[in-house]
Amino acid sequence: AQVAGRPLDAEAARALDEIWALEASIYAGRARGTMQPYVEAASRNMLSFPFGVANPVDYAGFVESARRFSGDKERNRVFLKGFYLTGGDTAVIFYRAHRTVRPDGTPVDEYWDTTHIYAREPGGWKLVSSINRASDNKDLSSPRPPIEPRG
């Protein structure tokens, strides 16, 4: 398997499968109107830089933001763009999301790029950092099928 032109060995491919499943769970939760799977995937050592904030937020700030999430109409498609496993215990995943409906039901045509950094903690992979940016790039090519929680 290759991602972004880089070959993946068996360990990296397994890590990607596990992390991609976590990402799928996060987006399935969003489609149901909850951020609980996102909170469960997050490390208590998390530092996140989401849209609309002036400075990064810690785990408590992330949980508070997740609590305010509302609406179950969101439609996203998520496309893998890159993956890197370093030392076996840290992984970086890059993806592009295309949102066509916001959680409140408002139709949109929005793209954003996300970098998630995961660390292997007791019990499995945990998200330690999330960085997002709006994107004008609409390239949705991906080395694996996209995450499509609503099909």
Side-chain angles (χ1 to χ4, degrees):
Q2 284 194 356
V3 175
R6 297 174 57 106
L8 298 180
D9 63 20
E11 181 183 15
R14 188 171 40 258
L16 175 56
D17 287 343
E18 292 168 2
I19 289 169
W20 198 240
L22 284 170
E23 296 287 349
S25 174
I26 289 167
Y27 280 91
R30 293 176 69 110
R32 292 188 317 270
T34 180
M35 294 286 277
Q36 191 57 37
Y38 210 164
V39 170
E40 291 170 6
S43 170
R44 298 218 181 256
N45 297 314
M46 175 189 229
L47 189 61
S48 177
F49 211 162
F51 289 119
V53 300
N55 295 296
V57 297
D58 62 7
Y59 178 78
F62 172 75
V63 170
E64 176 59 25
S65 172
R67 188 185 62 73
R68 291 190 308 269
F69 183 86
S70 65
D72 63 356
K73 296 177 178 44
E74 186 170 57
R75 290 190 178 269
N76 291 297
R77 293 175 71 215
V78 180
F79 299 85
L80 179 66
K81 289 299 187 179
F83 181 79
Y84 181 70
L85 178 69
T86 177
D89 292 327
T90 304
V92 181
I93 189 167
F94 304 94
Y95 63 82
R96 178 162 297 129
H98 178 216
R99 178 164 57 186
T100 56
V101 180
R102 289 187 179 157
D104 66 4
T106 304
V108 293
D109 184 28
E110 298 174 335
Y111 295 80
W112 70 88
D113 296 329
T114 296
T115 302
H116 277 173
I117 302 170
Y118 282 86
R120 194 185 313 263
E121 295 184 359
W125 291 103
K126 290 292 184 177
L127 182 63
V128 295
S129 187
S130 174
I131 304 160
N132 302 287
R133 69 176 186 182
S135 178
D136 292 330
N137 191 316
K138 297 181 179 185
D139 173 15
L140 299 178
S141 61
S142 180
R144 58 174 46 199
I147 295 170
E148 298 186 79
R150 291 189 182 262

